[in-house]
């Protein structure tokens, strides 16, 4: 089984930066993609950024130019560098990993979430 552990959340003033980390542990083979979702009060959970095993990245329009996603395959870790933070970025951020467990099945693993609060 795979476990995802996030770190790096916290409280920051508008315009500041945070770096989120998510490490996958356990039998983590054939990771197809890792990324970050967030959910703010009163809003649906949304994709923030993801990176695939082909090193392709996808970022939400609201964070393009401010956030950067990267990964360290040797450590099974994905990072989200968050710059120029805005109050509307306040949310619980969840790490996600898409892992192939068989030739015909994939599983989405989720971290427990880390709170990011941006004050004005």
């Amino acid at each position: 089984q795979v476990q995802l552990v996030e770190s790096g959340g916290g409280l920051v003033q508008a315009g500041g930066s945070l770096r989120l980390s998510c490490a996958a542990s356990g039998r983590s083979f054939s990771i197809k993609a890792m990324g970050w979702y967030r959910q703010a009060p009163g809003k649906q959970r949304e994709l923030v950024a993801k990176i695939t095993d082909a090193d392709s990245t996808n970022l939400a329009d609201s964070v393009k130019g401010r956030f950067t996603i990267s990964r360290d395959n040797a450590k099974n870790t994905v990072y989200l560098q968050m710059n120029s933070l805005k109050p509307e970025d306040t949310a619980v951020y969840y790490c996600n990993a898409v892992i192939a467990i068989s030739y015909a099945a994939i599983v989405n693993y989720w971290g427990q979430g880390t709170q990011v609060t941006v004050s004005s």
Side-chain angles (χ1 to χ4, degrees):
Q1 190 169 348
V2 176
Q3 294 182 348
L4 304 178
V5 180
E6 304 108 326
S7 63
L11 175 65
V12 66
Q13 292 184 343
S17 298
L18 288 172
R19 189 192 191 204
L20 305 184
S21 299
C22 175
S25 62
R27 181 165 285 189
S28 54
F29 296 113
S30 192
I31 298 175
K32 297 301 181 183
M34 296 186 72
W36 294 91
Y37 290 71
R38 68 185 181 187
Q39 187 165 21
K43 297 186 66 177
Q44 299 290 322
R45 183 176 296 189
E46 64 176 348
L47 174 69
V48 179
K50 68 177 180 180
I51 185 166
T52 72
D53 57 346
D55 214 27
S56 298
T57 60
N58 185 37
L59 275 71
D61 289 341
S62 60
V63 305
K64 287 181 179 177
R66 300 188 297 119
F67 293 7
T68 302
I69 189 168
S70 61
R71 60 182 171 91
D72 185 335
N73 290 338
K75 297 181 179 180
N76 290 323
T77 300
V78 64
Y79 306 95
L80 185 67
Q81 180 66 46
M82 310 165 67
N83 298 326
S84 302
L85 283 162
K86 304 175 180 179
E88 50 263 44
D89 294 318
T90 296
V92 177
Y93 284 69
Y94 297 91
C95 180
N96 170 259
V98 180
I99 300 177
I101 60 173
S102 73
Y103 72 96
I106 60 172
V107 175
N108 280 311
Y109 290 91
W110 295 92
Q112 295 184 193
T114 183
Q115 177 71 46
V116 172
T117 302
V118 184
S119 65
S120 59

